[in-house]
Amino acid sequence: MMPDLATHLLEIIQNSIAAGARNVCIRVLESIVSNTIVMEVEDDGRGMSEETVRSVTDPFTTSRTTRKVGLGTSFLKGLTDACDGSLSIESELGKGTTVTAKVRRDHIDLPGMGDFGEMIMICIQGAEECDIRFEYGVDENRFLFDTAEVKEMLEGVSIAEPEILIWIRGYINEGIERVKEIGL
Amino acid sequence: MKSLEDLKKMREAALNKVQMREGGKDYRVVVGMATCGIAAGARPVLNRLVEETAANDYNCVVTQTGCIGMCIYEPIVEVFGKEGEHTTYIHVDPDKAARILEEHIKNGHVIEEYTVDAAVNGGK
């Protein structure tokens, strides 16, 4: 199993990138009021057929050729099953895929949040050309991050320069902390 | 507190560096970031590689790859040189990663004991 929620999401986003997505939208929405955490990854990749969607949480389903197992989505299903939650996968060939996982926020088996700044940094580093939007919220408070905005500010300098990546990691984690503090 | 305005300054600094460098970097450092790599601890390794490269301006780009079928040796870091030479480092942790940059990228010496060849020939 994955050590934290950020690593779970990293696996799902890597699937989006492998599916050729140009835009990936990640939402992590905590609600103290309804005692839930909703995590969603929406992409405009090549999508999956209905049949593939049905079998995608099976660990022996994978599109890869180097080995015969695919664990990212099965792990996420394991997490939602264990934490009073639900997993929904909507996909259309040629349009994209949306994976939504919902869990009970105070469930004893829920792993920690992990490092979302690092997770986004790794995604950007692995897929510079892909635009990644990240939204984090606690009830009505929000933090938004968009690589398109960053790329505009950088005017041609690569977003994958190591100094920039480290800055992004810090910027996101600061933003998350701020939202959490307001929420208290 | 960080703001998007910081990026303007960082952009200037990055442009100056690119001009000084002239032509691309000599090495490509590739980390296996599939499920097997991540489960074995590739995330902190990648993190350290990015941090050390930023701090020391090493002559390399750090990139990622998927599963290359040697899951038992993960975390794996591969170093590709300009002439196509290629070294595979296995069971890498953050400290080993920092040493690989220092010894291999900066000083040009392969650290034999960390390589897959050493593990295979050593009968491990």
Side-chain angles (χ1 to χ4, degrees):
Chain A
M1 278 290 272
M2 290 295 153
D4 52 49
L5 300 183
T7 313
H8 270 287
L9 279 185
L10 177 61
E11 292 275 316
I12 304 303
I13 301 160
Q14 284 180 330
N15 289 345
S16 297
I17 291 166
R22 306 298 299 182
N23 294 282
V24 182
C25 221
I26 303 144
R27 293 179 202 92
V28 177
L29 303 176
E30 286 192 63
S31 171
I32 298 165
V33 177
S34 64
N35 192 24
T36 55
I37 300 175
V38 175
M39 296 174 289
E40 190 165 83
V41 178
E42 183 184 347
D43 72 51
D44 61 354
R46 70 178 68 90
M48 295 175 284
S49 67
E50 267 179 58
E51 196 193 341
T52 310
V53 170
R54 268 198 301 275
S55 66
V56 79
T57 57
D58 176 349
F60 298 103
T61 294
T62 182
S63 62
R64 62 187 315 135
T65 49
T66 48
R67 52 174 150 83
K68 286 185 177 147
V69 290
L71 297 174
T73 319
S74 343
F75 279 154
L76 191 61
K77 179 85 171 85
L79 174 84
T80 57
D81 282 351
C83 300
D84 261 359
S86 57
L87 178 69
S88 112
I89 301 166
E90 281 174 36
S91 190
E92 199 178 326
L93 279 171
K95 288 262 172 73
T97 302
T98 303
V99 176
T100 310
K102 188 175 168 182
V103 289
R104 201 175 96 198
R105 188 171 173 276
D106 67 354
H107 200 285
I108 189 129
D109 292 324
L110 193 69
M113 285 293 215
D115 188 335
F116 283 109
E118 186 199 285
M119 187 264 292
I120 301 288
M121 173 184 106
I122 290 173
C123 296
I124 296 171
Q125 210 248 1
E128 204 186 322
E129 65 295 338
C130 186
D131 269 323
I132 296 174
R133 217 169 152 270
F134 175 68
E135 180 177 349
Y136 173 80
V138 177
D139 290 317
E140 71 278 14
N141 301 305
R142 287 285 183 281
F143 166 74
L144 288 171
F145 172 82
D146 192 341
T147 56
E149 259 181 277
V150 173
K151 285 174 185 168
E152 202 181 302
M153 296 289 281
L154 288 172
E155 290 175 67
V157 166
S158 164
I159 193 168
E161 285 287 330
E163 292 86 353
I164 311 275
L165 290 173
I166 290 170
W167 181 88
I168 289 173
R169 184 181 70 190
Y171 179 74
I172 291 175
N173 284 337
E174 262 186 33
I176 290 175
E177 280 312 306
R178 262 201 314 283
V179 170
K180 277 188 175 160
E181 277 163 28
I182 307 167
L184 285 176
Chain B
M1 204 169 86
K2 292 185 174 62
S3 95
L4 287 177
E5 290 296 311
D6 302 346
L7 289 167
K8 281 189 182 160
K9 263 182 258 162
M10 300 185 68
R11 178 177 181 274
E12 295 291 313
L15 278 178
N16 286 337
K17 254 197 224 170
V18 170
Q19 274 162 4
M20 271 161 55
R21 226 179 270 141
E22 290 180 15
K25 307 260 189 154
D26 283 350
Y27 290 98
R28 209 154 52 83
V29 178
V30 183
V31 189
M33 287 295 290
T35 311
C36 49
I38 290 169
R43 264 178 73 163
V45 168
L46 179 63
N47 235 316
R48 187 69 174 271
L49 287 170
V50 171
E51 284 170 0
E52 296 286 333
T53 304
N56 300 292
D57 198 22
Y58 286 127
N59 189 9
C60 63
V61 286
V62 180
T63 60
Q64 300 173 27
T65 187
C67 175
I68 57 170
M70 298 200 293
C71 309
I72 55 163
Y73 293 126
E74 296 281 355
I76 295 174
V77 172
E78 294 176 286
V79 177
F80 295 87
K82 254 193 171 161
E83 317 297 321
E85 71 274 28
H86 165 216
T87 310
T88 303
Y89 292 108
I90 60 167
H91 297 314
V92 178
D93 62 25
D95 289 342
K96 283 184 182 173
R99 226 192 119 204
I100 290 166
L101 290 175
E102 165 101 34
E103 285 296 317
H104 193 146
I105 307 304
K106 191 174 153 212
N107 301 331
H109 302 141
V110 173
I111 310 173
E112 296 292 346
E113 58 187 293
Y114 295 172
T115 62
V116 69
D117 298 336
V120 171
N121 299 333
K124 252 190 194 172

